[in-house]
């Protein structure tokens, strides 16, 4: 990739040093469900028949939850994090060239190293390369719309793509999704597994999106909006947006030397 | 004011949407892009243990099977050992067996299938034996935050009866929602399951 993002200084100057509670059972911090969308969110109509109605059964984390799949560079190809090149047939895809970069952290503030981050999106016209998408905007012959990266040992990831377009969808008759990129992140244990969406600073569709507004906590919603990061853009080439992702924190194990990553 | 704790907050979940295949199983979206792909086949020719097929559907509150759902499973190997450094149990590790796979439901039949092996019993931190099980994570359009559940095996009656997680389920009838049923088809062992998102047979989902 010829638009490699430069090394970055962490802009959050007041962020404390990472601190992991040393006493615990190796389990993850209890998930704060108030910052997540509820399963049943009637404004997002598809959730009505697809949301459990019984209480979730709370489970103390056992080895089944604190472990999870491990991935490595052998799982990836060299162009996997370059959506401008990884499906190009006879030229670059149409659209605003952007770099998306950030860190995967846990709730203690520590970077999550060597974890798999996958992303997918519509093309610049708001059309997905998917056999079930019938939106009238054209497919871009040079754009697949997916990629993946492994975080480095500080939790940093980056990829290059074109900015996705907004598109209409069937919820209300005039519902439009703000431009967004889907993210899938693993973490070190299966209980950290997370899928989310990244939005773009300044998009006027954000406050009226029936999916985004399933999140009731305004701060949690704001944390899904990536700011423009001019410092990381490549002059005469690509703008950059920064998107940090926070996974659940983890306690260390009682009376044992700290495990890897703690 | 007390000292601030300064923990960060977890990033909020959002639905995987109807086009989740593009990112996670591009072949199902209808194109080929990556050199290496993840799949629903967990086994290699060298994997130890009994070959099994897990096969099931996910039903919505009207009983309609989801045709755009994605499942991931995470399991121990036949010796009951997870392929992860935090599992320090005694069972032999098999480096080639990652223990993880993902599958989308078929757009026509709505079936989700995995080719794997039956995991061994797990020993938990308190030294208790836990019945063999597969951990399941479910995402789809309309599911705002991934759902966690487990699959246990119908031929493990004694182990299931003693399993500490199954016994946490207050209503015995609801425990059955986590049991996959063993059968044989053309000489292959198949465990069938149904995950009900709602209704009187609603599957037990966990806050892990």
């Amino acid at each position: 990739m010829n638009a490699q993002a430069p090394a970055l200084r962490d802009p959050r100057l007041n962020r404390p040093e990472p601190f992991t509670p040393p006493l615990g059972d190796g389990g993850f911090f209890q998930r704060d469900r108030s910052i997540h969308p509820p399963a049943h969110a009637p404004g997002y109509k598809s959730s009505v028949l697809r949301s459990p109605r019984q209480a979730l059964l709370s489970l103390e984390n056992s080895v089944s939850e604190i472990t999870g799949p491990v991935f490595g560079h052998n799982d990836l190809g060299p162009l996997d994090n370059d959506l401008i090149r990884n499906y190009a047939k006879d030229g670059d895809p149409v659209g605003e060239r952007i770099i998306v970069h950030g860190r995967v952290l846990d709730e203690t503030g520590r970077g999550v190293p060597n974890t798999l981050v996958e992303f997918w999106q519509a093309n610049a016209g708001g059309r997905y390369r998917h056999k079930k998408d019938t939106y009238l905007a054209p497919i871009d012959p040079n754009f697949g719309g997916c990629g993946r990266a492994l975080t480095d040992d500080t939790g940093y990831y980056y990829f290059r793509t074109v900015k996705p377009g907004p598109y209409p969808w069937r919820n209300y008759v005039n519902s439009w999704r703000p431009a967004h990129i889907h993210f899938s992140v693993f973490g070190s244990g299966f209980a950290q597994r997370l899928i989310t969406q990244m939005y773009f600073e300044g998009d006027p569709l954000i406050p009226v999106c029936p999916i985004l507004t399933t999140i009731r906590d305004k701060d949690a919603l704001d944390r899904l909006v990536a700011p423009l990061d001019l410092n990381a853009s490549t002059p005469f080439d690509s703008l950059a947006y920064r998107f940090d992702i926070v996974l659940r924190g983890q306690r260390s194990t009682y009376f044992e030397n700290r495990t890897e990553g703690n | 004011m007390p000292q601030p704790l300064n923990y960060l907050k977890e990033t909020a979940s959002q639905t995987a949407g109807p086009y989740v295949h593009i990112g996670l199983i591009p072949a199902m979206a209808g194109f080929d892009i990556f050199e290496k792909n993840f799949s629903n086949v967990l086994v290699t020719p060298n994997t130890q243990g009994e070959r099994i097929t897990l096969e099931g559907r996910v039903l919505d509150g009207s009983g309609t099977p989801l045709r755009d759902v994605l499942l991931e499973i995470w399991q121990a190997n036949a010796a009951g050992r997870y392929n992860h450094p935090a599992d320090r149990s005694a069972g032999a590790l098999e480096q080639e067996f990652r223990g993880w796979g993902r599958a989308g439901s078929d757009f026509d039949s709505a079936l989700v299938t995995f080719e794997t092996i039956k995991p061994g019993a797990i020993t938990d931190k308190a030294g208790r034996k836990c019945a063999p099980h597969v951990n399941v994570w479910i995402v789809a359009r309309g599911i705002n935050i991934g759902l966690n559940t487990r699959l246990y095996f119908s031929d493990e009656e004694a182990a299931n009866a003693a399993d500490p997680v199954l016994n946490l389920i207050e209503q015995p009838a609801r425990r059955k929602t986590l049991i996959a049923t063993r059968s044989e088809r053309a000489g292959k062992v198949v465990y069938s399951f149904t995950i009900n998102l709602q209704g009187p047979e609603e599957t037990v989902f966990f806050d892990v």
Side-chain angles (χ1 to χ4, degrees):
Chain A
M1 155 166 188
N2 61 17
Q4 182 159 341
L8 286 170
R9 237 182 31 210
D10 196 318
R12 290 165 304 174
L13 298 176
N14 294 320
R15 192 160 62 76
E17 285 300 302
F19 175 83
T20 300
L23 297 180
D25 55 5
F28 292 102
F29 300 175
Q30 181 172 296
R31 185 166 248 161
D32 178 358
R33 293 208 169 242
S34 71
I35 58 115
H36 290 286
H40 179 238
Y44 172 31
K45 297 182 183 183
S46 296
S47 75
V48 172
L49 281 174
R50 294 182 168 200
S51 42
R53 299 304 161 88
Q54 304 288 328
L56 301 178
L57 182 61
S58 292
L59 215 53
E60 291 168 70
N61 286 175
S62 71
V63 68
S64 295
E65 288 79 34
I66 65 174
T67 60
V70 177
F71 300 95
H73 288 285
N74 285 342
D75 291 306
L76 305 182
L79 288 179
D80 281 7
N81 72 338
D82 188 354
L83 282 67
I84 287 183
R85 293 283 154 75
N86 70 6
Y87 202 75
K89 303 300 180 196
D90 56 9
D92 285 350
V94 172
E96 195 178 314
R97 300 160 66 88
I98 61 169
I99 293 163
V100 177
H101 74 137
R103 288 177 74 200
V104 179
L105 306 160
D106 78 8
E107 288 170 312
T108 69
R110 191 179 302 272
V112 181
N114 307 315
T115 202
L116 183 65
V117 183
E118 298 165 287
F119 19 87
W120 67 100
Q121 62 170 90
N123 69 24
R127 175 75 183 267
Y128 284 99
R129 182 176 288 280
H130 191 290
K131 60 169 93 165
K132 299 289 184 187
D133 187 3
T134 56
Y135 180 37
L136 54 81
I139 289 279
D140 184 330
N142 293 309
F143 191 66
C146 59
R148 45 202 191 174
L150 208 62
T151 59
D152 72 9
D153 54 11
T154 69
Y156 183 73
Y157 75 91
Y158 67 91
F159 61 96
R160 187 169 74 159
T161 185
V162 294
K163 191 175 176 188
Y167 58 85
W169 60 295
R170 292 191 177 278
N171 191 67
Y172 305 115
V173 291
N174 197 20
S175 293
W176 292 74
R177 292 306 322 280
H180 63 277
I181 300 177
H182 297 264
F183 278 75
S184 155
V185 193
F186 279 83
S188 63
F190 207 47
Q192 283 178 307
R193 193 80 180 84
L194 183 73
I195 277 187
T196 189
Q197 300 179 29
M198 181 202 105
Y199 302 88
F200 292 87
E201 176 183 7
D203 190 329
L205 289 167
I206 287 174
V208 295
C209 172
I211 288 180
L212 193 43
T213 53
T214 57
I215 298 171
R216 313 283 163 82
D217 181 308
K218 181 168 187 317
D219 293 337
L221 191 152
D222 286 346
R223 288 194 297 271
L224 296 183
V225 181
L228 178 70
D229 185 355
L230 269 180
N231 291 342
S233 39
T234 308
F236 303 102
D237 184 332
S238 303
L239 283 174
Y241 288 86
R242 180 172 176 120
F243 188 54
D244 289 338
I245 299 165
V246 180
L247 303 179
R248 294 165 67 187
Q250 185 173 21
R251 294 184 292 273
S252 292
T253 310
Y254 278 126
F255 308 130
E256 284 191 38
N257 291 329
R258 290 186 168 199
T259 53
E260 245 178 284
N262 276 354
Chain B
M1 283 278 284
Q3 295 179 13
L5 281 169
N6 282 329
Y7 289 113
L8 300 179
K9 285 289 203 180
E10 189 187 11
T11 298
S13 172
Q14 290 271 266
T15 177
Y19 307 127
V20 60
H21 315 91
I22 295 175
L24 305 189
I25 315 176
M28 285 193 74
F31 66 108
D32 181 30
I33 183 165
F34 298 133
E35 291 173 25
K36 298 166 187 173
N37 288 282
F38 302 122
S39 83
N40 62 335
V41 179
L42 283 74
V43 291
T44 68
N46 299 325
T47 307
Q48 302 293 306
E50 182 184 26
R51 268 28 181 199
I52 64 170
T53 300
L54 293 172
E55 178 185 276
R57 288 190 176 90
V58 181
L59 308 184
D60 74 11
S62 74
T64 305
L66 274 61
R67 291 183 163 79
D68 55 6
V69 70
L70 183 136
L71 268 61
E72 289 184 358
I73 60 171
W74 168 242
Q75 65 168 89
N77 67 13
R81 176 85 180 259
Y82 286 100
N83 191 349
H84 187 280
D87 185 351
R88 314 225 177 127
S89 61
L93 189 61
E94 287 171 74
Q95 283 302 348
E96 266 190 38
F97 182 72
R98 176 148 42 200
W100 170 84
R102 66 165 50 132
S105 55
D106 186 89
F107 289 124
D108 297 317
S109 70
L111 279 173
V112 180
T113 59
F114 291 96
E115 302 299 332
T116 184
I117 50 96
K118 190 175 171 190
I122 312 291
T123 306
D124 75 5
K125 288 180 296 250
R128 294 175 300 190
K129 278 280 185 198
C130 304
H133 63 272
V134 170
N135 306 286
V136 181
W137 183 73
I138 304 163
V139 292
R141 171 178 67 90
I143 294 179
N144 285 327
I145 179 165
L147 298 170
N148 292 91
T149 184
R150 291 181 172 196
L151 290 175
Y152 289 82
F153 299 92
S154 63
D155 54 323
E156 295 283 346
E157 277 183 39
N160 292 343
D163 183 77
V165 169
L166 285 174
N167 279 295
L168 272 181
I169 302 170
E170 184 183 342
Q171 302 82 4
R174 297 203 71 213
R175 294 173 196 161
K176 297 183 187 128
T177 65
L178 303 185
I179 313 289
T181 307
R182 182 182 176 107
S183 63
E184 287 195 24
R185 192 188 302 158
K188 288 178 71 179
V189 176
V190 179
Y191 285 92
S192 305
F193 64 89
T194 301
I195 292 169
N196 288 289
L197 298 179
Q198 290 176 9
E201 307 287 312
E202 182 177 313
T203 295
V204 173
F205 297 105
F206 298 109
D207 188 12
V208 295

